[in-house]
Amino acid sequence: MLPLAVLLLSFSRQAFAIPSATSLQADLTFLFQNDLNWTTAADHKGTILINKFGTKEEATAACAELNESILPTDGPYFDSDMKSLLTYLNVNSRYYKQKFWVDSTPDAPCSVVSLPGSLQSVPCNSRFPTFCSQSSPYRRNTDVDPDPKFRVQVKSKKLTIVGTRDHLSFRFLGIPYADPFERFSYSKLYSGAGTINALNYGSPCTQSSGGSEDCLFLNIYTPYLPRDPARSKSLKPVMFWIHGGGFTDGQASDSIYDGGNMASRSDVVVVSINYRLGALGFLALEDGVTNGNFGIADQITALQWVREHIAEFGGDPSLVTIYGQSAGAGSVRALLASPPAFGLFQGAIAQSNLGGFGYASTYSKYLTIQQQYASFGAPLVSSVGCAGSANILQCLRALPASSITSTPNGPRYIVVDGKFITTDQLEVNGSGQAARAHVMFGWTRDDGSDFIGPYPTPGSTLAGALLAAGLSSDVVDKVVGSDLFPTPLGPNSLENLFNLTSRIGTDGQFRCIDQATVISAAKHDVFASVWAYQFDRSYGGYEPVPGTCDPPSTPAFPNGDPNLPYYRCHSGELYYMFGNLGQDSLPFRDEHDLLLSQYAVDMWGSFARTQNPNPSPYFLTARGYTNTANMLRETGRWNKVTPREKAPLRIIDNQQRNSQWLEEEQCDLLGYPFTYFG
């Protein structure tokens, strides 16, 4: 065996050689006791576990290959964090009562730690796995090239993919998942070879704010890099995120979607993707070739990439949950109905899926190619000067992308193309094909507040607002003056009207359709299991009407008092369920913001692991997640949706509760009864 000094000299000559699980001949497990409280995050140490048994000298050399030292044992949270991490390793792997190398102390030149977190001295030639330090800083969503010493690489088939790590996880950003493609053609799985630099996000897809047509990239946040994926028994559940933005905007690199907190707290692999948007992603022509749904097909291509490669990044390709919000939820709904996607995922979470009247209708009820072309495709073709062309497709391909995306009211609609989408809706009554997945549908309490129309002005009427939003005149006649939709009696008449339209918009564009979906699916046993929720607390959100989505500030609550009235807006749950609240100048408003964030991440992670959003008490105890464990004990478990369940809806707030279905008579009046899908 080479002396330690020689080993260290050898590593120093390889200035920042990029390590991998293969080069270390060991699994690399990223561990961070993540309580999501970023006011104290810097005081918590992360560690990288190298599972290869070696002497203290060999352990030091292995950590040096990661440009780290053996894990120091100082810091205010070391003892408590280590106890939780060791307990989790003890119950979740083969490390029963295992000792691990840590840094020396004055009294113990060769130290190990084991349950219950105690340090002890051992002979230096003993052989144990190693806890290395994890000194990379917190960073995300930045264009700054990461420090080379924190890089790590993964080999998968013909690819070598170079990523990095931050305070939370290993990160591989901007990975191409599709081959270069011609505009208005379907993407195909990436077939390239060689080294991919995955240190920074790839370009968003072309949209009003910019972007590029070279945009089919995905990002991976993972706590685990296996040496031999085929033999690993520790592959993690995969959470596959599809962003929203009305099928016209959005990008996976938005900081709100950073997957590091979810990966580290829930021990899952998070994947987020870009997909083509607007007319470039959804235009269909009546030529028999250009059949639309390119954006949906991109999502399926990305799922195929995950199936091929995710095991090398520590993910289990047989345990994939797709999840998305708004248009991302509409994508999830479409993928549940798309035969080419069947088998590529086992779980699905649709957050604020739209449906019903007006703007929301096409997210759940799909147009024919002819309908889409007549209303949206033909006007676009005419406006860009291609209507008289002998070959419309060729003409469109020759134009600058901005000419196509800047056309007002252009195509952005899922259509029945015959391959990716074969029916005009997700069939939840047992009459058509649907993925046999575990599903969860949910919405925010005031999801429709900013979708039904602008804030009222003097002279506005309820009838006028509803007709402008797309409700039929016969339904408007029923709604106006109905005891089911009484006008609030507050001192501000315009605020009263906005309150009422918000309720009607939420019912008629979110709540009624999604409740009808899960009720029918459970009745007809369409999915493996069905769950439903309503988020009754929010932070920010989609806010075309300024000042509606945040509570007013008070001297006691300078960042807003959540106990005062405010709208729980569309997108207002995202910071909670990604665990990213308290960052990016978004301070906790009160103690419940942190507690609900912990609970939300734990629910979503539990669904990914077990297809059940109730975190196992066994898991919570092992991880030391006492706040979530206490909340579950106090509020009870979330009930599955079944035909006989009397409280199938989980109300998610600082106090959880189960509820019967909401607004049944109101949904009947609007034309979207609980029996809407049969």
Side-chain angles (χ1 to χ4, degrees):
M1 181 181 299
L2 291 172
L4 176 59
V6 175
L7 284 169
L8 294 179
L9 178 61
S10 172
F11 286 118
S12 69
R13 287 172 176 167
Q14 305 174 36
F16 302 136
I18 301 175
S20 67
T22 301
S23 69
L24 282 154
Q25 292 294 291
D27 293 349
L28 304 179
T29 302
F30 196 115
L31 297 167
F32 180 66
Q33 188 61 20
N34 192 348
D35 64 2
L36 303 179
N37 186 352
W38 285 94
T39 64
T40 59
D43 295 326
H44 292 268
K45 294 182 182 296
T47 181
I48 299 174
L49 166 61
I50 298 176
N51 73 336
K52 181 171 60 177
F53 284 69
T55 65
K56 175 67 179 299
E57 189 174 59
E58 292 167 335
T60 302
C63 291
E65 189 168 340
L66 291 170
N67 299 300
E68 298 288 355
S69 62
I70 293 181
L71 179 67
T73 60
D74 58 344
Y77 295 103
F78 178 83
D79 290 341
S80 59
D81 285 356
M82 189 53 61
K83 181 178 180 180
S84 295
L85 294 175
L86 288 169
T87 300
Y88 185 57
L89 288 171
N90 189 53
V91 302
N92 196 50
S93 63
R94 301 184 302 275
Y95 295 114
Y96 182 67
K97 294 185 177 180
Q98 179 62 56
K99 298 180 177 68
F100 300 87
W101 288 118
V102 290
D103 198 17
S104 304
T105 66
D107 299 327
C110 291
S111 299
V112 293
V113 65
S114 62
L115 276 177
S118 56
L119 298 173
Q120 56 185 287
S121 179
V122 296
C124 294
N125 61 355
S126 304
R127 305 185 69 83
F128 300 112
T130 305
F131 283 144
C132 299
S133 63
Q134 205 302 100
S135 60
S136 56
Y138 177 73
R139 66 166 294 277
R140 62 185 174 90
N141 200 37
T142 175
D143 293 328
V144 176
D145 194 28
D147 191 324
K149 73 178 182 179
F150 299 129
R151 292 179 185 175
V152 64
Q153 64 183 351
V154 166
K155 295 184 183 297
S156 180
K157 297 180 171 55
K158 299 181 294 182
L159 299 173
T160 298
I161 302 176
V162 178
T164 186
R165 52 187 159 91
D166 67 357
H167 203 57
L168 303 171
S169 67
F170 300 110
R171 301 163 63 89
F172 299 85
L173 310 177
I175 302 172
Y177 65 80
D179 279 339
F181 56 89
E182 189 174 23
R183 183 185 296 170
F184 300 125
S185 65
Y186 294 102
S187 56
K188 295 181 180 179
L189 192 64
Y190 187 76
S191 61
T195 299
I196 293 173
N197 184 317
L199 301 172
N200 292 290
Y201 293 110
S203 172
C205 289
T206 305
Q207 52 196 274
S208 59
S209 59
S212 167
E213 290 187 82
D214 179 16
C215 64
L216 298 188
F217 301 104
L218 58 77
N219 314 301
I220 300 172
Y221 311 83
T222 179
Y224 176 57
L225 298 177
R227 173 189 175 187
D228 185 351
R231 296 185 179 183
S232 175
K233 297 181 180 180
S234 300
L235 296 179
K236 312 298 181 184
V238 178
M239 302 191 72
F240 181 96
W241 174 251
I242 306 171
H243 70 76
F247 291 121
T248 60
D249 299 284
Q251 58 196 58
S253 54
D254 192 317
S255 63
I256 196 172
Y257 308 142
D258 187 281
N261 278 312
M262 185 169 279
S264 65
R265 183 169 174 92
S266 291
D267 200 23
V268 297
V269 176
V270 178
V271 178
S272 60
I273 68 163
N274 291 338
Y275 56 95
R276 280 175 283 178
L277 302 166
L280 295 173
F282 292 90
L283 171 67
L285 304 176
E286 295 180 303
D287 59 3
V289 176
T290 314
N291 293 330
N293 292 338
F294 304 105
I296 300 299
D298 292 342
Q299 296 166 11
I300 295 173
T301 302
L303 282 167
Q304 292 169 339
W305 192 97
V306 166
R307 180 181 60 185
E308 293 291 317
H309 296 283
I310 203 63
E312 280 72 20
F313 295 86
D316 185 345
S318 68
L319 192 56
V320 176
T321 294
I322 59 174
Y323 68 130
Q325 186 266 346
S326 194
S331 298
V332 168
R333 191 181 185 104
L335 292 172
L336 284 166
S338 178
F342 294 173
L344 295 176
F345 60 91
Q346 293 68 46
I349 305 174
Q351 302 174 212
S352 298
N353 169 76
L354 294 95
F357 67 79
Y359 168 83
S361 61
T362 58
Y363 287 84
S364 293
K365 188 75 169 179
Y366 310 131
L367 303 175
T368 65
I369 289 176
Q370 293 73 27
Q371 289 171 327
Q372 183 269 170
Y373 188 73
S375 297
F376 306 100
L380 179 145
V381 170
S382 177
S383 69
V384 298
C386 290
S389 174
N391 188 322
I392 292 175
L393 177 59
Q394 183 177 346
C395 179
L396 291 171
R397 283 174 169 168
L399 293 172
S402 59
S403 298
I404 297 173
T405 58
S406 62
T407 302
N409 202 25
R412 53 161 185 78
Y413 303 99
I414 298 173
V415 297
V416 182
D417 67 278
K419 177 181 178 181
F420 298 102
I421 300 296
T422 59
T423 54
D424 67 353
Q425 63 183 359
L426 170 64
E427 300 293 357
V428 289
N429 63 0
S431 66
Q433 290 182 302
R436 185 66 179 173
H438 301 267
V439 303
M440 184 161 75
F441 276 71
W443 54 90
T444 64
R445 193 196 69 182
D446 304 307
D447 235 328
S449 61
D450 290 317
F451 284 83
I452 195 167
Y455 194 83
T457 57
S460 295
T461 65
L462 177 60
L466 297 182
L467 288 169
L471 269 172
S472 63
S473 58
D474 60 326
V475 174
V476 172
D477 290 341
K478 294 178 184 178
V479 170
V480 174
S482 169
D483 291 340
L484 295 176
F485 288 110
T487 302
L489 300 177
N492 185 323
S493 61
L494 297 182
E495 176 70 20
N496 294 339
L497 181 55
F498 187 69
N499 262 313
L500 184 53
T501 58
S502 172
R503 179 181 180 184
I504 295 169
T506 299
D507 280 350
Q509 297 180 306
F510 292 91
R511 187 186 287 125
C512 296
I513 283 291
D514 286 349
Q515 287 184 151
T517 296
V518 295
I519 288 169
S520 180
K523 175 182 176 181
H524 297 285
D525 192 30
V526 172
F527 301 121
S529 68
V530 183
W531 307 83
Y533 70 86
Q534 175 175 291
F535 243 96
D536 270 23
R537 187 181 178 96
S538 63
Y539 199 114
Y542 174 65
E543 193 180 45
V545 179
T548 56
C549 299
D550 291 302
S553 61
T554 66
F557 296 91
N559 301 307
D561 184 353
N563 300 303
L564 296 176
Y566 70 103
Y567 294 94
R568 277 61 166 178
C569 292
H570 189 70
S571 306
E573 86 283 16
L574 291 175
Y575 283 111
Y576 291 112
M577 44 75 52
F578 270 101
N580 291 333
L581 192 57
Q583 303 161 64
D584 288 345
S585 302
L586 294 170
F588 298 122
R589 299 168 303 191
D590 63 12
E591 71 276 11
H592 296 299
D593 273 342
L594 173 59
L595 297 177
L596 185 56
S597 187
Q598 293 171 340
Y599 185 62
V601 171
D602 294 341
M603 287 187 293
W604 264 243
S606 176
F607 188 84
R609 289 190 304 274
T610 67
Q611 291 79 53
N612 185 320
N614 293 290
S616 160
Y618 189 63
F619 173 86
L620 296 174
T621 299
R623 294 306 309 257
Y625 296 163
T626 56
N627 289 336
T628 296
N630 290 339
M631 185 176 288
L632 275 175
R633 279 195 298 269
E634 293 169 2
T635 62
R637 293 174 64 80
W638 181 340
N639 296 329
K640 187 186 302 184
V641 178
T642 68
R644 293 184 177 86
E645 177 54 57
K646 295 182 179 180
L649 181 66
R650 187 69 163 181
I651 305 298
I652 300 175
D653 202 343
N654 53 313
Q655 285 295 316
Q656 318 296 312
R657 61 185 175 90
N658 295 323
S659 167
Q660 62 186 10
W661 298 119
L662 303 175
E663 304 280 271
E664 180 173 5
E665 292 180 288
Q666 288 80 3
C667 290
D668 285 343
L669 183 63
L670 292 171
Y672 307 108
F674 291 177
T675 57
Y676 185 75
F677 293 107

